[in-house]
Amino acid sequence: MQASQAPCSLQIPRTNGLRPGQRSARARPVSSPRSLIMASAVSAPKRETDPKKRVVITGMGLVSVFGNDVDSYYERLLNGESGIKPIDRFDASKFPTRFAGQIQGFSSEGYIDPKNDRRLDDCLRYCIVSGKKALEDAGLPLGSPSLEKIDKVRAGVLVGTGMGGLTVFSDGVQALIEKGHRKITPFFIPYAITNMGSALLAMDIGFMGANYSISTACATSNYCFYAAANHIRRGEADIMLAGGTEAAIIPIGLGGFVACRALSQRNDDPKTASRPWDKERDGFVMGEGAGILVMESLEHAMKRGAPIIAEYLGGAVNCDAYHMTDPRADGLGVSTCIEKSLEDAGVAPEEVNYINAHATSTLAGDLAEINAIKKVFKNKSEIKINATKSMIGHCLGAAGGLEAIATVKAITTGWLHPSINQFNPEPAVEFDTVANTKQQHEVNVAISNSFGFGGHNSVVVFAPFKP
């Protein structure tokens, strides 16, 4: 889903009661050396140095069309594989779009009790498995002494979803219509609401701190990262599990996006359907899964000897205030959001050399994002941009989670995955999109963009960890 770009809040210069052109007798000329030095000192980006407020990534977990292992997931991205196939979960023959990034052969064995597993919506199953795998990656497996030592009151969960338990909801409606209200499962409401993923995960691992969900369509995961990091920065939490989960590849989910006229209809060649920035793109491809990060204060991570993978430097969120589904062509909301994220991170635009783009393969959205990026980053030759969605499809509320993991893996491996299906690129793009073949690239600072229906924009900033 592609939404776009709008201002946060405009900064109106204070006049101190002076008329236009009038200068205070005590005002120093702008050109004076001292004022230039002071202005430079004020505007120079400054990264956080307090170990209580620095936020690091210590674990990553996912469920994806390429499996549930982070390294295998990224290896297949580097190989330029497509996870897009014809839908076989239900009969899609009457739909104009009959393919997606559908997860096949998913197993929650060892992570969810079999009795509960049979009842859960896939949205919840993906959340629980990816969250527990992220904890394992962080050296905090369930039942371990290291997890028991965590102060549970200062440990939270913030996993969002754009659609919630859509299968449970759809089945409940069908039961009501066909059999009456007595046949609705008592799990209908609990498993359909968007906060239950965070709640169930917390129940299993015992985290008693901040716990809720955010639902901002396809910007959801980044909103969760931003909010989770701010809980840590404000001293309210030591450690947070954050990300997104989604499982909407069912008849009502597919039909809804078909009705929006948002999906590609390249049924004759699904693997090439998701083609961001290509002139022949005709809409996005649905995907599903979950991506969750373990985020914690540097101080907390160092005290417990955690494996520090990368650093979260900052982020920003805002709204286009423009249209429910269409992006602003001028990219104003997104460019403002990028600028605010860099400000929050203490990073100058010149330091950024990699962007994991939202890039959904929609006609308007792809170029609107590029226009926004151009507003902020003037030296196009220094930045590489890629599109994870070209291979796994658009995972909606989970997209930012899976793409954040790809971004962090780019930082740690020194390799950028390709944007596949780049056959006839839009000349207006002008950036290196890592077309069709992976590239070696030492990432200095990376940003990951996610935008959602409603005009919701979100940008998060990652970098290699440096003590």
Side-chain angles (χ1 to χ4, degrees), residues 338-379:
I338 293 172
E339 290 168 348
K340 293 293 184 183
S341 75
L342 299 183
E343 180 182 322
D344 186 53
V347 166
E350 295 75 23
E351 296 180 76
V352 177
N353 67 345
Y354 168 50
I355 300 173
N356 188 293
H358 185 59
T360 59
S361 187
T362 58
L363 287 171
D366 287 6
L367 291 184
E369 181 180 12
I370 288 294
N371 289 339
I373 291 170
K374 286 179 180 179
K375 285 176 180 285
V376 181
F377 303 103
K378 306 304 180 184
N379 192 345

Side-chain angles (χ1 to χ4, degrees), residues 286-307:
M286 288 183 72
E288 62 179 349
I292 295 179
L293 301 180
V294 178
M295 307 175 76
E296 56 186 303
S297 72
L298 175 58
E299 179 183 68
H300 187 264
M302 293 184 72
K303 278 183 178 178
R304 70 176 189 88

Side-chain angles (χ1 to χ4, degrees), residues 152-364:
K152 304 299 194 300
V153 176
R154 293 182 55 79
V157 183
L158 212 177
V159 180
T161 172
M163 310 287 281
L166 199 58
T167 298
V168 167
F169 188 87
S170 178
D171 290 348
V173 171
Q174 188 171 355
L176 174 66
I177 293 171
E178 294 179 357
K179 302 175 182 178
H181 73 277
R182 295 182 185 278
K183 294 299 181 180
I184 297 175
T185 172
F187 296 101
F188 171 64
I189 295 297
Y191 286 174
I193 54 181
T194 62
N195 62 297
M196 197 52 65
S198 291
L200 291 178
L201 183 54
M203 291 173 203
D204 277 0
I205 63 179
F207 283 13
M208 297 174 64
N211 187 296
Y212 54 102
S213 67
I214 294 174
S215 185
T216 47
C218 304
T220 291
S221 290
N222 277 5
Y223 269 71
C224 291
F225 295 140
Y226 177 67
N230 287 339
H231 281 296
I232 295 170
R233 286 173 160 183
R234 291 193 299 263
E236 299 163 358
D238 297 323
I239 184 168
M240 295 287 296
L241 279 171
T245 184
E246 204 77 88
I249 302 175
I250 64 172
I252 192 65
L254 178 65
F257 284 116
V258 164
C260 289
R261 300 180 181 179
L263 300 180
S264 168
Q265 297 184 16
R266 204 176 296 276
N267 294 293
D268 58 335
D269 194 6
K271 290 185 181 298
T272 68
S274 185
R275 48 176 72 191
W277 307 306
D278 188 87
K279 285 183 178 179
E280 303 301 318
R281 65 194 183 282
D282 69 330
F284 77 81
V285 177
M286 288 183 72
E288 62 179 349
I292 295 179
L293 301 180
V294 178
M295 307 175 76
E296 56 186 303
S297 72
L298 175 58
E299 179 183 68
H300 187 264
M302 293 184 72
K303 278 183 178 178
R304 70 176 189 88
I308 298 176
I309 303 169
E311 184 166 5
Y312 168 94
L313 296 181
V317 299
N318 74 357
C319 180
D320 277 357
Y322 174 70
H323 190 273
M324 283 195 302
T325 58
D326 288 348
R328 291 179 62 116
D330 61 5
L332 178 60
V334 169
S335 62
T336 304
C337 197
I338 293 172
E339 290 168 348
K340 293 293 184 183
S341 75
L342 299 183
E343 180 182 322
D344 186 53
V347 166
E350 295 75 23
E351 296 180 76
V352 177
N353 67 345
Y354 168 50
I355 300 173
N356 188 293
H358 185 59
T360 59
S361 187
T362 58
L363 287 171

Side-chain angles (χ1 to χ4, degrees), residues 41-85:
V42 169
S43 61
K46 185 178 179 182
R47 298 191 194 182
E48 183 61 67
T49 58
D50 185 346
K52 289 184 173 67
K53 296 181 179 180
R54 287 180 69 180
V55 179
V56 292
I57 310 304
T58 58
M60 303 189 291
L62 57 74
V63 171
S64 80
V65 71
F66 291 146
N68 307 342
D69 179 77
V70 167
D71 290 339
S72 176
Y73 162 77
Y74 198 63
E75 189 63 32
R76 294 178 74 173
L77 288 178
L78 288 177
N79 291 338
E81 293 184 37
S82 173
I84 311 305
K85 298 176 182 177

